[in-house]
Amino acid sequence: MRTARLATAAAALSLLAGLAGCAGDSSDLPPALAKPSASAPPAGPGGAAPDRSCNPRASLRPSGALPQPGRMPAGSYLAEIQKRGRLVLGTSQDTLLFSSRNPFTGKVEGFDVDMGRQIAQAIFGDPDKIQIKVIGYDKRISSALDGSVDIVADTMTANCARWKDVNFSTIYYDAGQRVLVSKNSAAKSIEDLGGKKVCAASGSTSYDNIGKVASKPIPVAKDAFGDCLVAFQQNEVDAISTDDTILAGMAAQDPYAKVVGQKFTQEPYGMAMSPDHPEFTRFVNAVLAKNRENGTWTATYKKWLGAFGAAPTPPAAEYK
C-alpha cells in the first residue's frame, strides 16, 4: 500500500503542487495597502480570538434592477470594465473542482471560475469576456485593493477582519473545516487525532484552527496544501485538515484517503472587491440573487460538485 500511495503522491504533485489558495489566510497586507484599523492576524496555532465585530455574511443590498448586458451605467466602475472589454478575475489554478487548470485544455475552470463567468455574462452578455489572473492565496486581498483584478473568487472566507479591507459579495458557498485521514484510520473526527500530526498550509486559518482543538492534535505547517498531501501519502503526517472543498479534491486524487467528521468551523465564501466601488458589489449581489432564483447556482453546483451528493439550498443572501 505504501508503494501505491507514493505513486499517487507523485501523480498528485502535478495537479496539487502549490495548493494553498483555498483556506483562509492569516497573512499581513503589504505596508502600502494596510489600514491602521485592520486587525492583526493570528500569530500561530490557536492564535488570536476571531473578530466578531460584524455579520460577515451581510453585504450591500442591490439597488434596483440589473442593467442590460452591454449597457452599464455611465461613470460607474462597471462602465470601465465594459470599456476594457473583459472582467479580470483573480483566483487559483490548483484548487480542484473550484479553480484548477484542466491538463487537457490548459484552461482554469471550476465552481469559482463559473461564479466569475456569470458576472462577465451579466456585464457583457458573454461569459467568455473574462481574463483569469492566477494569484497567490496571500495576495487575494491585496489584488482586490491594488486594482490588479476586478474581483476575487478563490474559496475565500468572508470574515470581519477582511471586511475592514475589502467588500465581499453575499455568500455563494458554505464550506467548513474537516479532516482527511487514511481509509484504514479509525478516526471519526479531528477530536480523535489527539497527539497525532495534522497538516495544514502555513499562514492559513486552517493551521490556526488545528491548534484550538481540545484533544490537542499536533499542527504541522507546510508551504502549501499540495505539500501536505504528499507528506500524508508518505506517512509523515497522520491527517490533513482544511476546508471540506479542498479535502474533496484531495480525496478525489487519493483512493486511500477519506474525509471524516462534521464541519468544525464555518467558512462562508464570498467574492472580494475593492471598497472603492460599492456599486460593483451591489451589481454582483444582484447577479447572485438572480442566479439563486433561476436555478443557475444549483446547476453550477451539480456541474462541479454533484458527485458528492444532491445540491443543497443556495446560501441565503443577507444584507447590511
Side-chain angles (χ1 to χ4, degrees):
M1 180 173 173
R2 179 179 174 84
T3 302
R5 292 185 70 184
L6 287 173
T8 304
L13 263 176
S14 65
L15 289 172
L16 290 165
L19 180 59
C22 320
D25 64 272
S26 52
S27 51
D28 287 299
L29 275 175
L33 294 174
K35 297 179 181 179
S37 60
S39 298
D51 183 345
R52 303 191 187 280
S53 61
C54 74
N55 173 7
R57 303 179 71 92
S59 186
L60 305 183
R61 187 178 296 276
S63 54
L66 280 168
Q68 290 296 311
R71 298 182 179 181
M72 296 300 104
S76 69
Y77 187 65
L78 289 157
E80 291 182 30
I81 296 172
Q82 181 182 317
K83 182 178 179 181
R84 185 199 305 146
R86 67 190 184 282
L87 175 75
V88 182
L89 170 70
T91 193
S92 63
Q93 63 178 347
D94 40 34
T95 309
L96 292 178
L97 307 177
F98 275 75
S99 54
S100 62
R101 194 172 295 280
N102 186 312
F104 300 104
T105 66
K107 294 181 179 180
V108 179
E109 60 187 21
F111 191 94
D112 278 347
V113 175
D114 277 5
M115 291 292 110
R117 287 170 60 83
Q118 289 160 21
I119 305 305
Q121 170 71 37
I123 296 172
F124 299 102
D126 183 350
D128 292 330
K129 288 195 172 182
I130 188 168
Q131 175 187 342
I132 296 174
K133 184 170 184 178
V134 174
I135 57 176
Y137 85 113
D138 58 343
K139 297 293 189 293
R140 293 178 293 181
I141 291 177
S142 61
S143 295
L145 289 176
D146 66 17
S148 57
V149 304
D150 297 313
I151 189 167
V152 175
D154 194 8
T155 57
M156 186 175 180
T157 300
N159 61 37
C160 295
R162 289 175 178 158
W163 261 107
K164 293 175 181 176
D165 295 312
V166 297
N167 278 353
F168 280 102
S169 69
T170 53
I171 303 308
Y172 69 89
Y173 189 88
D174 273 312
Q177 190 166 342
R178 296 177 69 192
V179 63
L180 178 141
V181 296
S182 220
K183 276 198 172 172
N184 61 5
S185 171
K188 301 297 184 185
S189 73
I190 196 167
E191 292 287 355
D192 297 329
L193 295 172
K196 302 291 187 181
K197 295 179 180 179
V198 181
C199 190
S202 176
S204 69
T205 53
S206 298
Y207 178 74
D208 298 333
N209 290 336
I210 294 167
K212 299 174 184 177
V213 176
S215 64
K216 298 191 181 301
I218 302 167
V220 175
K222 295 289 184 181
D223 288 342
F225 280 108
D227 298 327
C228 280
L229 180 60
V230 174
F232 170 74
Q233 292 170 325
Q234 293 178 340
N235 297 319
E236 294 174 9
V237 299
D238 301 286
I240 305 169
S241 185
T242 185
D243 294 3
D244 53 352
T245 50
I246 306 173
L247 298 181
M250 290 184 180
Q253 293 299 311
D254 188 343
Y256 302 105
K258 61 182 179 181
V259 180
V260 300
Q262 299 297 312
K263 299 174 185 178
F264 62 94
T265 68
Q266 294 183 357
E267 309 294 341
Y269 292 166
M271 289 183 269
M273 292 151 278
S274 169
D276 293 339
H277 311 295
E279 79 281 4
F280 183 39
T281 302
R282 295 182 192 277
F283 175 88
V284 169
N285 286 341
V287 176
L288 289 174
K290 178 181 177 182
N291 289 348
R292 289 186 192 98
E293 294 172 1
N294 67 16
T296 299
W297 186 94
T298 299
T300 306
Y301 184 97
K302 289 178 178 177
K303 176 181 176 182
W304 296 107
L305 304 168
F308 300 100
T313 301
E318 298 182 34
Y319 301 113
K320 293 180 181 295

